[in-house]
Amino acid sequence: MKFAGPGKSIRVRLLLWYALVLVVAVGGFAGALYFQVRQDRLRAIDARLEAGATYLAATVRGLPPHELERRPSRERGFDAPRRPEDDRFGRPPPGDAPDGRRARREFGPPRRPPGPPGGPTDRPFSGPPAERLQALTELPGSLLDDPREPAHDAPYFVVWRADGSVLAESARPEPVERPIRFLQGAGDPPGFRWRADLRESLLLGPRGTLILVGKPAGRELGELRTFAWQIAGSGLIVLAVGLAGAWFISRSIAQPIAAISNTASEISATNLTRRIETTGIDQELYGLATVLNNTFARLEAAFERQSRFTSDASHELRTPLAVIRAHAELALSKPRSAEEYRETLSACLKATSRMATLVDGLLVLARSDAGRLDAQFSHVDWTGVIEDVVDQYRPQAEAAGIALSAQLDQPAAVSGDATLLARVSSNLLSNALRYTPAGGHVRVALARENGSAVLSVEDTGCGIPREDQGKVFERFFRADKARSRALGGYGLGLAICKSLVEAHRGTIGFTSTPNRGTRFEVRLPLVSETRAAQSPAAGYLPPPSAGSDASGSGPTEA
Amino acid sequence: MRVLVIEDETELLGVLVQALREEGYAVDAAADGEEGLFRAQSWNYDALVLDLMLPKIDGWQLLETLRRDKKTPVLVLTARDALDDRVRGLDGGADDYLVKPFQLAELFARLRALIRRSNGQANSAIEIGDVVIDVRSRSVSQNGKAVALTAREYGLVELLALHRGEVVTRTQMYDHLFDENEDSLSNLLDVHVSNIRRKLGKDFIETRRGLGYIIDAS
């Protein structure tokens, strides 16, 4: 099927398909029904005509031979001029049948011939030959007498002799000539033909006679026509009802789809908090709507995370900016002493270095997200890297009165970037030192376990509150904001650690008991000394698993 | 005018307090929400400068609690500039909004406008007889000629002018002109008043014995 424009619509295609199927089915059924009925009606007529013809043939068989061979006289032949006393079929008035004559003239129902008393004459007339001819003016009553039949529909007949002259005939509505093609040849079964709406049966009788029995079938044809119209009407009604149903059903499919797509486009265009209505919607579409809703929910969560991150980042960047600006404005508002200027400058410097640290952290995260860490991947001695970091923090631990111990006697070769790996251990160590009170312990250890190197940083600090344990790897998350800020944290350290560890195909997790301490664990795959060269190309790292939220790794909500 | 600054960023708090003091305000400071709320509830400040991201009690919560019994004008100061944050702040009872990093000049102007409006004064210039007090430039002129007042004297004139026709008690004056760090003697107020009377005319400020002072009593 080829359609411009609307053909693209499923609904229209569906309707057209329905229409085609209905037209074929209903049309086929109606046609078959009509022809079946028509066939039945015609067969009934033909059977009557055939019975009439057979009766006549039997009657003719019993006639004296001279009747059948007699050549028509000039006066009696059908070429002869009609005499005034002849009736309109060119036959002499049968004086011996006074009532029959009137009946024939009026095309009335043929009267039963005065046959033997008792019983209808449906068997051939078997009287003496002279009476037989007499009997040949009528067909037997049982073949003719159909009480439902109006007079003008009554059957008629003609019997021709072999030479073409009329042997016998009944009254009939129209003149009929002997059909040429039946002149020769013989026998059964009788042929049937239509002459306008006259149905006629032709039968070759004994000794070259030709018998024609006919019947006007106008009434039957009219009834069949009415029947045809009735079937056609019913068919059209069925078609209309079917198409209307299809229209409504297809609308009930198309409408919710349109509604879903409208809502969906509104959601993407305006706000992500809206959802597609799923109550009272069809089963097939419910699945679609649910899938879309889930997608929107995920999208919304991602957007929210993103906007929270942006807002947090801007907050963290704007605050030191505000400090710098206010200091500078205040210092410039009037002449100050050298000491005041020095104070202003050192406050600005402090704020600047704070911003620098923050920008650096954000940059690492952004690069890691984009999979573009400027990492130089090589074969790294992780133990050595950690050792260096621990040494860096020793003075700080000593100043804070924290015992810092390291158990780093096992060599561990991993594939990675030494600077980034140092950053991971440095972040973990500074966190541990930051949240451990004086007199506490911080233990750093590196172990080998099932082909992995495991770095653990354990402290006896304040621990992470249970309700916050699921969020520690979120960006800008701080369990205690005031304290964290006072201690110089931004809430990015652990997010950076997670991002970097994942970039190294490792995992990071922790266990923490409030007021007892926290233990962070970083697992990286070990590389054998010989395969060190097969490390990934420098400068490119696949992005870490999407979202990089806390749920990705580590014991959460323990 | 006495204002309270609530800001957890100590560096910013310090510089704000100093700048506001230099601008002639009596300034109290609070470093977290709890302390800020306590102070805001216990004094009738002329205005509050409030950061929203505060430890212990955040700015929105503080606003909500404060608004139950105080109408103190609040200028919200925050690094959050998202529309939702601003709408939430203003709906939550803030009177004005300033996004960090801000300019001190803008902060001062907004504070002045807040204080002026809260005293039912729409114009930045207040005329009392032949004296014109320009709140914006913090200057006073008489018959078109500028009159030199000290910051303290100006603050007193401004306070009385904003409450023109009403008696301002000595307690009110102390509350609005001096912050808690100032160790002022009660007769200091009389000294300021007599200095103002010397500069602007004897009848500019009337004394109501046992009650306080009044400007433009008619």
Side-chain angles (χ1 to χ4, degrees), chain B residues 25-201:
Chain B
Y25 291 96
V27 187
D28 289 342
D32 63 59
E34 211 171 73
E35 189 194 346
L37 183 61
F38 172 73
R39 283 173 187 271
Q41 281 175 326
S42 36
W43 291 92
N44 280 316
Y45 288 99
D46 290 290
L48 237 68
V49 177
L50 175 69
D51 185 14
L52 285 178
M53 303 275 282
L54 290 172
K56 294 182 187 171
I57 298 177
D58 73 24
W60 288 290
Q61 211 180 326
L62 189 150
L63 259 179
E64 196 199 321
T65 319
L66 182 69
R67 281 285 173 256
R68 285 178 200 155
D69 47 19
K70 293 276 186 199
K71 283 194 264 181
T72 318
V74 173
L75 173 64
V76 160
L77 203 61
T78 185
R80 296 190 169 271
D81 65 343
L83 180 65
D84 286 352
D85 288 330
R86 278 181 279 168
V87 169
R88 190 177 161 200
L90 292 172
D91 283 348
D95 297 275
D96 204 352
Y97 208 98
L98 202 54
V99 175
K100 295 176 191 173
F102 49 86
Q103 294 197 330
L104 284 175
E106 188 179 2
L107 174 71
F108 295 152
R110 283 177 188 270
L111 262 186
R112 281 197 298 271
L114 274 187
I115 294 169
R116 202 174 65 221
R117 280 200 302 265
S118 74
N119 286 304
Q121 180 76 37
N123 204 320
S124 70
I126 308 169
E127 274 182 61
I128 297 166
D130 53 357
V131 176
V132 176
I133 301 154
D134 188 345
V135 179
R136 197 177 53 198
S137 64
R138 301 178 62 78
S139 63
V140 176
S141 58
Q142 192 167 29
N143 293 324
K145 271 189 263 175
V147 178
L149 294 182
T150 67
R152 202 60 91 191
E153 287 162 4
Y154 171 80
L156 213 159
V157 168
E158 193 191 62
L159 178 66
L160 287 167
L162 287 172
H163 295 93
R164 63 194 294 180
E166 300 167 29
V167 174
V168 179
T169 65
R170 292 176 72 86
T171 321
Q172 264 178 300
M173 288 184 166
Y174 280 118
D175 282 354
H176 288 277
L177 297 178
F178 305 104
D179 59 55
E180 55 188 12
N181 298 327
E182 282 174 291
D183 190 17
S184 51
L185 299 166
S186 66
N187 65 351
L188 210 58
L189 207 57
D190 299 325
V191 173
H192 290 315
V193 171
S194 71
N195 283 342
I196 295 166
R197 281 188 175 141
R198 196 162 38 79
K199 290 177 182 174
L200 291 172

Side-chain angles (χ1 to χ4, degrees), chain A residues 329-517:
Chain A
E329 273 189 70
L330 184 66
L332 289 174
S333 64
K334 63 180 186 188
R336 311 270 172 183
S337 68
E339 184 57 31
E340 281 176 310
Y341 283 127
R342 193 169 294 122
E343 272 174 26
T344 300
L345 285 176
S346 80
C348 288
L349 198 60
K350 230 166 98 183
T352 313
S353 62
R354 190 178 145 180
M355 282 180 75
T357 315
L358 189 64
V359 167
D360 183 50
L362 287 174
L363 219 56
V364 170
L365 282 175
R367 284 199 186 126
S368 176
D369 285 351
R372 313 199 128 267
L373 282 170
D374 290 330
Q376 299 294 318
F377 263 61
S378 59
H379 176 207
V380 174
D381 168 23
W382 202 17
T383 318
V385 169
I386 297 167
E387 239 165 14
D388 289 350
V389 172
V390 170
D391 286 345
Q392 275 174 34
Y393 277 91
R394 279 198 196 283
Q396 193 189 322
E398 217 164 287
I402 299 167
L404 176 58
S405 63
Q407 200 181 352
L408 302 165
D409 34 21
Q410 293 220 47
V414 294
S415 164
D417 180 300
T419 320
L420 298 179
L421 287 178
R423 185 166 198 150
V424 171
S425 26
S426 154
N427 277 354
L428 291 178
L429 198 49
S430 73
N431 259 355
L433 290 173
R434 187 179 297 154
Y435 293 107
T436 303
H441 282 273
V442 172
R443 288 185 199 87
V444 180
L446 188 63
R448 299 168 70 116
E449 226 177 74
N450 304 333
S452 293
V454 183
L455 162 70
S456 61
V457 178
E458 199 173 351
D459 65 50
T460 56
C462 58
I464 301 165
R466 292 208 184 285
E467 66 269 23
D468 292 334
Q469 289 192 355
K471 302 185 216 158
V472 294
F473 292 109
E474 279 178 26
R475 293 165 189 195
F476 290 115
F477 174 78
R478 279 167 293 193
D480 182 345
K481 288 202 169 79
R483 182 167 173 181
S484 170
R485 188 175 284 175
L487 294 167
Y490 300 100
L492 284 184
L494 287 175
I496 291 173
C497 280
K498 181 172 156 62
S499 184
L500 294 180
V501 167
E502 281 173 356
H504 284 81
R505 302 176 204 286
T507 57
I508 183 168
F510 69 93
T511 51
S512 181
T513 318
N515 299 321
R516 280 284 195 74

